[in-house]
């Protein structure tokens, strides 16, 4: 699969993106890495330009919930991107792991997978992408 990997609008961290890029490439995916501090507008433009099979958003700064909500809403507002699979993960809240209400709002907005920042979440990302590619993880 072609995966568009991106940080969120307010997150300037990069090592998480490097690690995720390697994780995805080791599983055979073609990765288009946008880098940190990607606005919803830039994300939608990159999705139109690169036509990925899925989008993976990563956050470390604790504002992933708010930023991912804006990003996925922007993607879902574009008819040609409305069905594009989107996974978000990392540190999504400043108080630690996001709660059920935040997860529900992200899903309602259009996130197909909402993950945390643990080892199990990384494996869950692999399973999520494998399911979209039609292969067993």
């Amino acid at each position: 699969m072609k995966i568009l990997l991106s940080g969120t609008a307010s997150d300037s961290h990069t090592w998480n993106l490097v690690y995720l890029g390697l994780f995805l490439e080791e599983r055979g995916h073609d990765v288009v890495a946008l880098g940190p501090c990607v606005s919803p507008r830039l994300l939608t433009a990159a999705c139109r330009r690169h036509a990925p099979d899925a989008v993976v958003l990563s956050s470390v700064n604790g504002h992933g919930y708010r930023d991912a909500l804006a990003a996925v809403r922007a993607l879902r507002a574009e008819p040609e991107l409305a069905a594009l699979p989107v996974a978000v993960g990392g540190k999504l809240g400043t108080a630690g792991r996001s709660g059920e209400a935040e997860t529900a709002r992200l899903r309602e907005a259009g996130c197909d997978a909402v993950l945390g920042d643990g080892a199990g979440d990384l494996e869950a990302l692999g399973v999520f992408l494998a399911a979209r590619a039609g292969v067993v993880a």
Side-chain angles (χ1 to χ4, degrees):
M1 294 176 68
K2 183 191 283 186
I3 309 296
L4 193 138
L5 174 62
S6 177
T8 58
S10 70
D11 199 326
S12 63
H13 293 89
T14 57
W15 283 114
N16 57 314
L17 300 172
V18 171
Y19 181 83
L20 280 171
L22 292 171
F23 174 84
L24 295 168
E25 287 173 351
E26 286 174 355
R27 281 148 183 80
H29 299 295
D30 179 26
V31 177
V32 176
L34 295 184
C37 298
V38 177
S39 69
R41 183 175 165 206
L42 178 59
L43 181 66
T44 57
C47 286
R48 279 192 228 97
R49 182 172 55 251
H50 295 287
D53 299 306
V55 172
V56 174
L57 299 173
S58 177
S59 177
V60 176
N61 72 353
H63 299 288
Y65 164 72
R66 183 194 66 213
D67 290 348
L69 200 55
V72 77
R73 284 177 175 160
L75 289 172
R76 298 306 181 229
E78 301 291 326
E80 69 273 20
L81 304 175
L84 182 62
V86 176
V88 60
K91 188 173 179 190
L92 302 180
T94 56
R97 198 166 181 86
S98 290
E100 291 180 25
E102 292 85 1
T103 298
R105 280 188 216 104
L106 284 165
R107 289 193 177 277
E108 288 168 9
C111 284
D112 299 290
V114 180
L115 309 163
D117 61 358
D121 293 300
L122 194 57
E123 291 308 316
L125 175 61
V127 171
F128 169 78
L129 293 172
R132 265 93 204 133
V135 299
V136 177

